[in-house]
Amino acid sequence: MDKLPRVNLTAANSSTVDRLHPSFIEHGSYQHLCVLVPVILGVICVLGLASTLTAMGILISNAHRGKLSLINALILNLMFADGLVLAFALPFRAAAFSKPSWTLGWTVCKTCDWFLQSCMAAKSFTVAVLAKACYRYVSNPTKQVSIRLRSILLVMWFLWLSACSAPIPTWLFSSLQRETRGLVCVQVVPSEAQDFMSVYVKAYPLGVFCAPLSFALLYFWRVYGQCQRRCSKTQNLRTQIRSRKLTLMLFSLTVAMATMWLPQWVVWVWERHAAEREAQGPGEGGPFVVFSPPLLLSLSALLLTFFLSLVNPLIVLSLSEEFREGYRGLWRRLTLRKHTLSNPKPGPHAPTAPQSPCPRPETSGQPRGGDGGLGSIPCQGTTVDPQPQMEQGGVGDAEDEAEGESPRDGIVLLDVEQFWHERETGSMTEENDPIPWEHQEGAPTEGKK
């Protein structure tokens, strides 16, 4: 979207909107914003990228484990659009705020605003399709729907094609102009395109903002009706709870986008209307006055637009139980991997062959006893695991594996040593005998003899 618009009244045969120039530099009381605004945008960029990459990592991990669905793919597409805004659009906008003139070149001037509007349109279309997918899931949550990867990619391609095509006039009419303060990036609409832009200014907000979000809210209202009709049913209670949590998360994403993107559309329509009036010239009724949007309104609208890319992954990570479990599993995997790498490698004094989980101390001059010993008796506090659970793809089992580990570095536990000593010397009593079945089997045999 536009940065801090200022209607330029110098062009006589065209309408010009100064979109990417920080106009508050000219106001003496707002010069401190040249430092404050880039700092705020930098904080949003760092926190937003961390949250977005975390959510995308969990989604990709679930897809590798076979949990691929249309809803997860659409949420991944939403996070991907947020990541593009934070990684590419926000840094250039912050750099434009810190300089009194445009120093980023003609290519960035042409593509910066178009790229931001394309990503925002992609998010709006994705939210609409998410609402439709949520309604289909809630209508019949027990139905197994199989969708191919090719179909998901086709949906994503159509969404991004529509999103990138909608703001093409912004890319066409963006150009650099030289003024007294230096180069500025502006949108210049020639006189022959005034009729087209007058229609585009009215149709573009309806097609990108109003229609998709209204479509989404309509389907969420139908989802609410489905949930109300199933409240009295006790069947599939777990599925109903999961459907409500999914609906709450997607509805929160829709409300956040509608409320935080609305001020930017107010500024966008306001500045285009002012530019259109400026192109028409003064009328017969009185003096010609063009009012640009207030500075604080324009600045707040811009910050809220970028802040939305930080709020979306936080909503997904906080309201989805699946994402919370995936985040905990991802954290366990990373911490366990670091713990494994930090363990020292076995040297020449330590054997590398797998040892018995119940080490047996060597005693001189004592027989080892019978064969019916510890094959079925695990050591106290140890578990025998022939294969690590992490290789089986289980994320939630990582903690169980870590808790079941025992020292296998040749250290003999005191209770184990006492067990072997009492068994080999025959000094254990009947009450403390850990293997009474051996003596019970041997008693009749001795009686017969």
Side-chain angles (χ1 to χ4, degrees):
M1 297 300 294
D2 302 334
K3 190 176 181 180
L4 283 181
R6 181 178 59 85
V7 177
N8 189 349
L9 301 179
T10 60
N13 57 353
S14 63
S15 62
T16 305
V17 178
D18 189 351
R19 302 173 299 107
L20 298 175
H21 170 65
S23 59
F24 56 79
I25 293 178
E26 300 176 355
H27 299 79
S29 58
Y30 296 105
Q31 289 184 358
H32 62 281
L33 296 178
C34 297
V35 179
L36 181 60
V37 172
V39 169
I40 296 175
L41 293 177
V43 173
I44 294 175
C45 181
V46 173
L47 297 179
L49 282 177
S51 304
T52 302
L53 292 178
T54 301
M56 292 179 64
I58 294 173
L59 284 168
I60 294 174
S61 177
N62 291 341
H64 280 302
R65 291 186 342 216
K67 296 181 180 180
L68 182 63
S69 63
L70 179 60
I71 294 180
N72 286 344
L74 291 172
I75 296 176
L76 178 61
N77 186 61
L78 185 65
M79 298 297 102
F80 177 70
D82 287 325
L84 291 179
V85 170
L86 295 170
F88 297 101
L90 190 147
F92 291 111
R93 197 57 60 91
F97 270 100
S98 61
K99 300 290 182 66
S101 62
W102 186 261
T103 58
L104 301 177
W106 178 83
T107 303
V108 178
C109 175
K110 278 291 241 187
T111 58
C112 184
D113 202 40
W114 167 82
F115 182 79
L116 178 58
Q117 293 190 34
S118 299
C119 293
M120 297 301 294
K123 293 198 292 184
S124 180
F125 296 153
T126 302
V127 167
V129 181
L130 268 173
K132 173 66 175 179
C134 179
Y135 174 74
R136 293 181 60 183
Y137 173 77
V138 173
S139 299
N140 192 1
T142 59
K143 181 180 180 181
Q144 298 293 335
V145 179
S146 60
I147 184 169
R148 298 180 179 178
L149 180 62
R150 182 179 178 181
S151 302
I152 294 177
L153 294 178
L154 184 62
V155 172
M156 302 304 169
W157 179 82
F158 179 75
L159 287 176
W160 279 100
L161 180 63
S162 303
C164 294
S165 302
I168 283 181
T170 302
W171 173 77
L172 289 176
F173 300 136
S174 298
S175 63
L176 289 174
Q177 283 189 357
R178 184 173 297 276
E179 296 185 358
T180 55
R181 62 178 180 269
L183 289 176
V184 292
C185 184
V186 297
Q187 181 179 353
V188 181
V189 180
S191 56
E192 56 269 16
Q194 291 295 331
D195 295 336
F196 167 76
M197 286 302 296
S198 62
V199 178
Y200 177 79
V201 167
K202 301 177 179 61
Y204 180 63
L206 294 176
V208 174
F209 178 74
C210 298
L213 295 181
S214 300
F215 180 83
L217 293 175
L218 175 63
Y219 269 101
F220 280 122
W221 178 259
R222 299 178 65 181
V223 168
Y224 176 76
Q226 290 281 351
C227 294
Q228 289 295 109
R229 284 194 292 270
R230 294 187 179 185
C231 283
S232 58
K233 298 181 180 180
T234 58
Q235 299 177 355
N236 299 327
L237 182 59
R238 183 178 179 182
T239 305
Q240 294 180 23
I241 295 175
R242 185 178 179 181
S243 301
R244 292 178 183 178
K245 290 182 177 180
L246 176 65
T247 304
L248 177 62
M249 182 188 70
L250 299 182
F251 180 71
S252 300
L253 291 174
T254 305
V255 172
M257 186 167 191
T259 54
M260 301 182 71
W261 202 17
L262 179 61
Q264 188 62 45
W265 281 111
V266 173
V267 173
W268 192 88
V269 173
W270 191 336
E271 77 176 39
R272 263 64 184 184
H273 179 67
E276 184 178 356
R277 289 195 57 191
E278 179 261 333
Q280 293 176 356
E284 300 178 357
F288 177 63
V289 180
V290 177
F291 295 99
S292 61
L295 175 63
L296 295 180
L297 175 62
S298 301
L299 184 60
S300 302
L302 178 70
L303 294 178
L304 286 176
T305 301
F306 287 116
F307 191 68
L308 177 62
S309 299
L310 170 61
V311 172
N312 283 339
L314 293 180
I315 291 176
V316 172
L317 293 173
S318 60
L319 295 182
S320 175
E321 184 67 27
E322 180 181 0
F323 276 85
R324 288 200 297 269
E325 294 176 357
Y327 178 75
R328 288 193 291 266
L330 183 63
W331 177 256
R332 293 169 190 159
R333 179 179 298 181
L334 294 176
T335 54
L336 284 176
R337 184 176 301 175
K338 292 180 180 179
H339 178 70
T340 304
L341 294 177
S342 63
N343 288 336
K345 295 183 179 180
H349 60 280
T352 57
Q355 300 179 2
S356 172
C358 300
R360 175 178 178 179
E362 295 294 338
T363 57
S364 58
Q366 297 291 341
R368 289 182 177 268
D371 296 335
L374 295 181
S376 59
I377 305 177
C379 296
Q380 182 178 2
T382 61
T383 57
V384 180
D385 191 2
Q387 292 183 354
Q389 295 181 0
M390 290 297 294
E391 296 180 359
Q392 301 174 1
V395 179
D397 299 331
E399 186 178 1
D400 298 336
E401 180 188 359
E403 293 178 354
E405 291 182 352
S406 62
R408 302 183 183 183
D409 301 333
I411 302 175
V412 180
L413 302 178
L414 295 178
D415 54 348
V416 177
E417 185 177 5
Q418 182 182 1
F419 166 78
W420 280 107
H421 179 71
E422 292 179 350
R423 183 183 180 190
E424 292 172 350
T425 58
S427 60
M428 61 273 194
T429 61
E430 185 177 358
E431 296 178 356
N432 299 326
D433 189 3
I435 48 173
W437 56 86
E438 291 187 0
H439 298 86
Q440 291 177 2
E441 294 176 357
T445 304
E446 295 176 358
K448 291 178 181 180
K449 292 181 181 179

